[in-house]
Each structure stands twice: as structure tokens, then as C-alpha cells.
Amino acid sequence: MSSYEIESLLTEARRFPPPAEIAEGSIAHPDLYRQSREDRLGFWADRARECVTWAKPFTQTLDWSGAPVARWFADGELNVAANCLDRHVDAGLGDRIAIRWEGEPGDVRTITYAELTAEVKRAANALAALGVGQGDRVAIYLPLIPEAVVAMLAVARLGAVHSVVFGGFSAQSLHDRILDAGAKVVITADGGYRKGKVFALKPAVDEALGLLGSASTVEHVLVVRRGENDIAWDADRDLWWHDALRAAPAEHAAEAFEAENPLFILYTSGTTGKPKGILHTSGGYLVQSAFTHRNVFDLHPESDVYWCTADIGWVTGHTYVVYGPLANAATVFLYEGTPDTPHPGRWWELIERHGVTILYTAPTAIRSFMKLGRQIPQGFDLTSLRILGSVGEPINPEAWVWYRDVIGGERAPIVDTWWQTETGTIMISAMPGLTTLKPGSAQLPVPGVRIDILTEEGVRVDPPNGGLLAVTEPWPSMLRGIWGDPERYLETYWSKFSRPDEGKWVYFAGDGAHVDEDGDIWLLGRVDDVMNVSGHRLSTTEIESTLVANPMVAEAAVVGASDETTGQAVVAYVIVKQSRREEHTDAEFSELLRAHVAKEIGAIARPRQVYIVTELPKTRSGKIMRRLLRDVAEGRPIGDTTTLADPAVMKLIEEMSGSPATTSITAGLPKRRR
Ligand code: WT7
């Protein structure tokens, strides 16, 4: 963000106090803040007893002796799945709808808590019959269908560890994740619906396992029938999900596991090429998931219909589609497909049809709806909506106000929630019944979470200044490490601000932030080489490595450039090998390389533009100056070039990126996002 953008954010003067009807029935209470300030650990111990049913009660709240690896509620025992299922049935809520789901073609399924519990029991038995037990890893590669939720909960019920891989990721990405996690079983589907068509999933699994060859730890592949598309079959390895479940016994007693039993690994991009397997465990994660879900969304589980639009392949889908809402016995709405299929009002139609009361989505989606115009949502009855949420990237005040006015009927409060795969759950947010809202600000740390904004040197900044976001005390849902890489865990999050010799551990989030005079926090985006495209994290280095791995490419540099709709977009600068230059025109190279990245990583990583250049701007020590490339990509005058080894390079690049050979792809160069 430029200083101009920060300034316009901080002078944003609109204020929205909680609507009376939300304030009156508010689930969150000011006492939460008071108690958490006075006695943080006592606060979390109370939340742990209130939100979770323990098979064996814990006696110690936090063990930080192994910092920075925390142990929360460590001598307590629980079964995460039973907390999301059986206990609600036992409490007489078996007939409450757990999941109402609509497929992209319009097929609808309604599943009660009793039915979901029964299904998960069968699935747990089926997985156990395949040899899955405590600590084993199971990869899940599914469309957004109810079986995805069943699969996650069945794995959790066995004390095993799931690793969900987003269905949009390529066979190569799936391969990397299966290999790193050492998965024993893969759960997939023949295909799922997207943009009116069936996209096949099983072939990517076959390809990924083919790439693994004898290194494969995978013994079985369970296949859900959804797309009805033809697929290849390996009779020794593959089983139909429905057959396996039908053959499995109906009863399954949920065993209790230690609070620190691993629950899931979820891969996310970091600053280096290799995605990190973020490890989360059971008790603390479930406590903070349930607590934040209840309070941040003002959940009234008996009457709300809650819809989080994230896919289960992302952490938002783990915490706020599955674990938080189901632990709270909420009714969750799920939609398989894309927002514009078969018409651009699809989401609004779904809200009207299913009576959605809480909507949680990403700024990218809001900005793309904004572009289409308010007439589309105005064609539907959205009056059921009472709470709106935003996540994934900073939300600009313009989009915030549009969201509140057009979707929220000028009344629904918006909670802008800041958190990360690593934090597990929401860390900064307003509370709809308590907080006077400021468009564009995520506002306050949730009770029990301690956040500071620090200078590079680790000194706390005074309002109204900017700096780096840090978490200064451990929190229950924090990651417990990077799978198989303790060094990287220390290095990435704990080396910048911590002083281990003084026993001081400070978590570095990788985000820039401002704090204003009221103590409200304004997020400014990543300060590292991580891009945020449509609320999804991508690594510049990972995409550069992918480009350089293509035999046509000599060198590549990738930057995240501002984009009106997606927040940031991937822009690549590539030098083609001398020996290959004659093979294609620049425009052809550019298209081939965009397709290459999409194939290797997944469509979300496809660059918006690939500029074919003959030089890259480098310092005398050979470091690529991405800042200058970002200036070009954003159509800005180029900044200071004095440290370049050859300042003439930038002039060349500027000319080339505007050259006739590439105008076809630069034509839509976006205006900068405000
Ligand atoms: C990064 C984490 C947490 C679920 C989705 C993304 C950015 C997330 C916000 C927000 C400004 C945000 C940060 C963060 N981010 N929420 N409300 N305002 N930025 O999870 O893929 O782990 O990405 O997303 O830059 O570090 P993730």
C-alpha cells in the first residue's frame, strides 16, 4: 500500500454503532474483554470449559515451557468429532439441521445432526477398516460436497490427521503435499461441478500417485461418486466411498485423545518455494474456533443459518465451515459451485432460498459483485441477513460500505476478521453487538489475544503509527509447528522479535498494520514475498521457481501488483533462453508460460501477465529489485534506480512491457485499487 492509500484509510471518518436489535441480543459481552485483560489464562480456561466437552478435564491451562511450541489444556482429553456431533444429539438437538447444501446444478441436501453423526460413524469405521488410526495422515481432495465435511470429521474421530488439499490445486501440488505429509489414504471424488461443467478430480490423484511411484505411502484411495464422469480404476487400491460406508458398521464409539493430539496439517505458501505444512492440534484449536465463531458472528444457533463461502481447502473452510460452527451446533449452509453459475445473482438467490442470516466471505468477491452493479443483488430478498463478515485481505472502505448498504440492507454490521492459517482462528475483529464499526479497520484483538504493532527493531509504535503486526502471548489455536521442519518454524515466526534468553517469545505475522488513537488496527497487507490474490496466499518464489523450471525460461521475477478486483495479481517478468527465442512470438511465450504456471501449481496461481523481457533489474550484488517491477506492473512512475547495477535496464523493461507484442495482454491493465 502506498502512503497515499494509508492516509485515505486513516482519514476514513464514517462510524457505525451496533444496531439496537443486535446489541440487545448480543452473544458477546463486555465482561469478556475485562476478564481477558485481568486474567488471560483464567479467561481461556473458562472458555475451554464452556465451549468444549472434555472426556477428561484438564488441570493445567497452558504449558509454555517448550516455547515456542505451546501445549494448551494438555492433560485434558476430548474427541473433536464427538464435540461437533454426538454431544449435540445427546443434548436433544439431533433433529436440528447441521448442513443444508446446494450443488451447482441445483440439487439440494439437508442433513440433521443425527444423520451427520451416523454418517461420520460409518465413515470412521470404513477408514479404520483400511488401517487408519491415531496419528495417521489422510489426504482429502474433494469438491465442496457434504462428504468433505464427513471425511474431515471421520478422520478427526479416529485421532488421525487430515490434510485437505484444495480441489483447484494441480496433480503436482497434490503430489508434493501427499509426499510431505506421508498420507496413508486419499479421499477424493470422480469429479465435481464448477462453472456448469464437471471437473475431474480422480485423474489428478492418479497422476500424483504415479509421480510418487514407489515412494508412495498411499495404500488406498476412497472415491466419492459426484461427477458421474468416467475415471480410471485400480482395483487393488481404489474403493468407492459409498460401498465402503455401506459395508461399515453403524456404531462407532468415539475414543478420547489428548488435547495436543494433531488434528490437521494444512499447506500454505511462505516466502520460499516450498509450501509449509501448518500443524494444528485438537483442544486449544477447538476452543478458540468455537469461541470466536460464537462471539464474532453473534451466533444464535437455534435460529441462524450461517454461510461461510470458503472452500474446505483453505483454513477458513476448516475453522469456519466445519469446526467452529459444528462445535456450536449451528446450521451451516454450503454451496458447491461458482458465484456466477448459471447466473450472476446465484449467491443472492441462495441466500433468499435458504434464509441465510450470517454471511462470511472475502473482499474479492464483494468487489467483483460491486463491478456487476447493485441491480443484481437488489433483485433478491436479502432481508434474512443480519451479520456480514469479511476475511482474507484488507477490505477497502468503498467495498465495505457497498457490502453493508447493498447486501446488508444498510443495517447489517460487518466484521472484518484478521487471521492466518497459522493462527488457526480469528485474532482481530469487531464484535457486532459491542463495537462501533470503522469501514476498513479490523479493529480489536479478540478477547484473550495480545497484539502489538512493532517497529523493525521490535519497539512498540504509538498511535497513529504503522509497523509490523506481532502477537505477544501464546493463544490456544496457534500452530504447533511446520510439519517435519522445526527449524523453519522457529526461523519464520519467532526469530524476528523474540528474545529466547529472556524467555520472551513474540510471533511475527508478516503483515504491516497501523494503529489509530482508539487502538483500532488497520491491516496494510504483507511485508514479505507473499502475495494475496483473491484472499489466497501465493509465494513469489514458488511461482518464480515454477517458471524457471520450464525449459524455455532463463530467468524469472514475479511480483504482486495491485488489482481492482483480486486485491493483488501475479505479474511475471521472464527472460527466454537465447537458444529458444525464435520459437515463438513474445505474446505466444507469454500465453504458454501463464498456462504452465496454472498447470504446475493450479489456476489460482496463473499470472495475470507475463512480460517477456531481455533483462531484469538487479542490484550490484545480483538481487532482483522487485519494487521497480511492481512500479511498472502498477503503471506508476519508476522509483529510485540508483542502486541498480545498470539503471538503463528499467527503461528497457518499461518500453518492453508496453510494446506492441504484449499489448493484447496489457490492454486491461487495471487502475490502482483505492
Ligand atoms: C494472510 C493470511 C485467514 C483466512 C484467510 C487467509 C491476510 C487475512 C485479513 C484481513 C487484512 C488479511 C493477511 C494474512 N489477511 N485476513 N481481515 N485484513 N488482511 O489465510 O491464506 O493464511 O493468509 O491473509 O495478509 O497474513 P491465509
Side-chain angles (χ1 to χ4, degrees):
M1 248 191 224
S2 70
S3 53
Y4 163 75
E5 285 167 314
I6 294 168
E7 212 161 284
S8 67
L9 251 191
L10 293 173
T11 51
E12 168 61 55
R14 286 168 285 193
R15 299 289 179 267
F16 299 91
E21 66 278 14
I22 306 274
E24 275 155 29
S26 175
I27 296 288
H29 193 276
D31 281 352
L32 292 171
Y33 287 103
R34 192 189 38 75
Q35 189 198 358
S36 70
R37 253 193 317 272
E38 290 165 4
D39 175 15
R40 190 175 58 90
L41 293 182
F43 165 86
W44 282 121
D46 285 355
R47 302 295 80 75
R49 292 186 192 102
E50 183 180 282
C51 296
V52 164
T53 301
W54 297 86
K56 174 169 171 256
F58 60 91
T59 61
Q60 188 186 15
T61 304
L62 169 66
D63 172 5
W64 194 223
S65 62
V69 180
R71 293 169 55 78
W72 282 86
F73 317 116
D75 60 348
E77 290 180 5
L78 76 162
N79 185 290
V80 170
N83 266 278
C84 295
L85 301 165
D86 313 46
R87 69 160 167 163
H88 304 321
V89 178
D90 296 344
L93 300 176
D95 291 337
R96 180 178 292 172
I97 295 170
I99 298 176
R100 188 190 296 279
W101 170 85
E102 185 161 331
E104 198 185 73
D107 42 338
V108 173
R109 284 165 65 186
T110 300
I111 304 169
T112 65
Y113 271 95
E115 290 163 345
L116 188 63
T117 305
E119 191 80 353
V120 169
K121 285 180 176 175
R122 281 193 189 274
N125 281 324
L127 285 169
L130 297 180
V132 175
Q134 183 180 8
D136 288 334
R137 275 82 61 207
V138 175
I140 297 177
Y141 187 65
L142 284 171
L144 195 48
I145 52 179
E147 284 78 5
V149 180
V150 174
M152 289 166 75
L153 290 171
V155 172
R157 193 175 183 94
L158 296 170
V161 185
H162 56 69
S163 170
V164 182
V165 180
F166 173 56
F169 275 126
S170 65
Q172 182 65 48
S173 300
L174 177 63
H175 159 274
D176 297 346
R177 286 156 176 75
I178 291 174
L179 179 66
D180 190 79
K184 194 169 190 176
V185 168
V186 179
I187 306 177
T188 189
D190 47 359
Y193 287 86
R194 242 189 100 74
K195 294 188 201 290
K197 289 202 269 293
V198 171
F199 71 98
L201 281 161
K202 172 76 162 46
V205 174
D206 295 337
E207 193 184 331
L209 297 184
L211 288 171
L212 281 168
S214 57
S216 178
T217 46
V218 175
E219 294 169 13
H220 293 286
V221 177
L222 270 171
V223 187
V224 179
R225 197 146 187 69
R226 167 64 185 153
E228 312 268 335
N229 47 315
D230 285 334
I231 50 172
W233 200 257
D234 175 343
D236 295 331
R237 186 196 71 190
D238 301 343
L239 279 110
W240 286 108
W241 165 271
H242 308 276
D243 293 342
L245 260 67
R246 208 175 303 122
E251 260 325 305
H252 182 272
E255 192 186 326
F257 299 98
E258 289 178 359
E260 287 298 336
N261 194 53
L263 178 62
F264 66 85
I265 302 168
L266 186 58
Y267 288 83
T268 188
S269 298
T271 50
T272 68
K274 190 172 178 275
K276 307 175 279 199
I278 304 299
L279 175 68
H280 282 285
T281 59
S282 303
Y285 171 79
L286 193 66
V287 168
Q288 199 171 337
S289 297
F291 168 70
T292 51
H293 180 257
R294 200 178 278 190
N295 287 278
V296 169
F297 298 105
D298 188 46
L299 179 79
H300 291 67
E302 64 291 346
S303 52
D304 276 318
V305 177
Y306 163 88
W307 183 20
C308 165
T309 64
D311 189 272
I312 50 136
W314 312 108
V315 75
T316 312
H318 283 57
T319 308
Y320 297 107
V321 172
V322 181
Y323 291 109
L326 297 180
N328 288 332
T331 293
V332 173
F333 175 69
L334 281 181
Y335 170 57
E336 177 188 33
T338 42
D340 51 359
T341 307
H343 61 81
R346 189 61 197 271
W347 275 19
W348 320 124
E349 175 191 74
L350 292 168
I351 289 171
E352 177 182 302
R353 182 178 310 142
H354 300 284
V356 173
T357 61
I358 305 172
L359 176 68
Y360 188 29
T361 192
T364 291
I366 298 158
R367 288 193 294 266
S368 54
F369 291 130
M370 246 172 110
K371 254 202 217 155
L372 297 174
R374 57 178 68 207
Q375 317 75 262
I376 296 174
Q378 278 170 351
F380 298 88
D381 180 0
L382 304 180
T383 52
S384 57
L385 287 173
R386 40 173 224 104
I387 306 280
L388 304 175
S390 175
V391 63
E393 50 180 320
I395 177 163
N396 44 317
E398 204 180 283
W400 194 103
V401 169
W402 189 91
Y403 191 23
R404 179 179 180 277
D405 287 355
V406 179
I407 308 306
E410 297 177 17
R411 86 203 120 67
I414 298 175
V415 285
D416 173 14
T417 61
W418 178 89
W419 58 295
Q420 310 177 298
T421 306
E422 292 87 342
T423 69
T425 68
I426 295 170
M427 301 288 276
I428 306 177
S429 174
M431 297 282 182
L434 303 179
T435 318
T436 291
L437 303 174
K438 298 179 180 178
S441 171
Q443 303 200 276
L444 297 172
V446 303
V449 169
R450 299 274 203 270
I451 303 258
D452 264 338
I453 315 295
L454 306 175
T455 64
E456 277 286 340
E457 291 71 40
V459 180
R460 184 185 303 155
V461 303
D462 295 319
N465 287 309
L468 304 172
L469 190 80
V471 191
T472 57
E473 296 289 347
W475 63 101
S477 66
M478 68 195 294
L479 75 166
R480 300 303 197 262
I482 295 175
W483 185 255
D485 202 343
E487 266 309 303
R488 194 174 175 193
Y489 173 62
L490 270 175
E491 167 59 32
T492 309
Y493 307 107
W494 303 99
S495 64
K496 196 171 180 70
F497 296 130
S498 304
R499 270 179 268 132
D501 37 324
E502 295 167 32
K504 190 168 176 279
W505 294 95
V506 176
Y507 172 88
F508 169 58
D511 278 270
H514 245 79
V515 57
D516 69 17
E517 265 93 6
D518 304 325
D520 285 315
I521 298 169
W522 303 72
L523 273 307
L524 305 176
R526 301 288 306 192
V527 295
D528 51 14
D529 287 334
V530 171
M531 295 172 285
N532 189 325
V533 178
S534 302
H536 299 313
R537 235 156 102 169
L538 296 170
S539 147
T540 51
T541 329
E542 187 181 1
I543 300 178
E544 281 170 6
S545 316
T546 303
L547 284 166
V548 175
N550 185 295
M552 301 186 296
V553 174
E555 276 188 78
V558 166
V559 296
S562 310
D563 186 283
E564 239 186 4
T565 307
T566 59
Q568 284 188 312
V570 180
V571 175
Y573 295 83
V574 170
I575 303 178
V576 171
K577 279 185 191 151
Q578 190 68 46
S579 57
R580 313 278 306 248
R581 289 229 173 116
E582 303 306 316
E583 291 175 18
H584 301 284
T585 65
D586 285 359
E588 284 165 359
F589 275 125
S590 173
E591 272 318 303
L592 287 169
L593 292 171
R594 289 179 70 231
H596 168 74
V597 174
K599 179 173 181 301
E600 291 300 313
I601 302 178
I604 45 166
R606 188 198 311 269
R608 185 182 72 192
Q609 286 130 339
V610 174
Y611 294 119
I612 307 301
V613 295
T614 49
E615 299 278 358
L616 289 171
K618 288 186 187 152
T619 61
R620 275 170 279 268
S621 61
K623 198 168 166 329
I624 294 173
M625 291 195 66
R626 292 207 179 78
R627 178 172 54 80
L628 301 175
L629 294 173
R630 208 171 299 131
D631 289 342
V632 176
E634 296 181 350
R636 236 197 326 263
I638 293 169
D640 185 9
T641 58
T642 47
T643 53
L644 281 182
D646 174 11
V649 165
M650 283 317 296
K651 186 144 178 36
L652 193 68
I653 289 178
E654 227 183 350
E655 281 166 17
M656 296 187 83
S657 57
S659 72
T662 49
T663 39
S664 58
I665 50 166
T666 56
L669 198 70
K671 290 187 284 291
R672 296 183 54 216
R673 186 160 65 84
R674 271 169 299 142

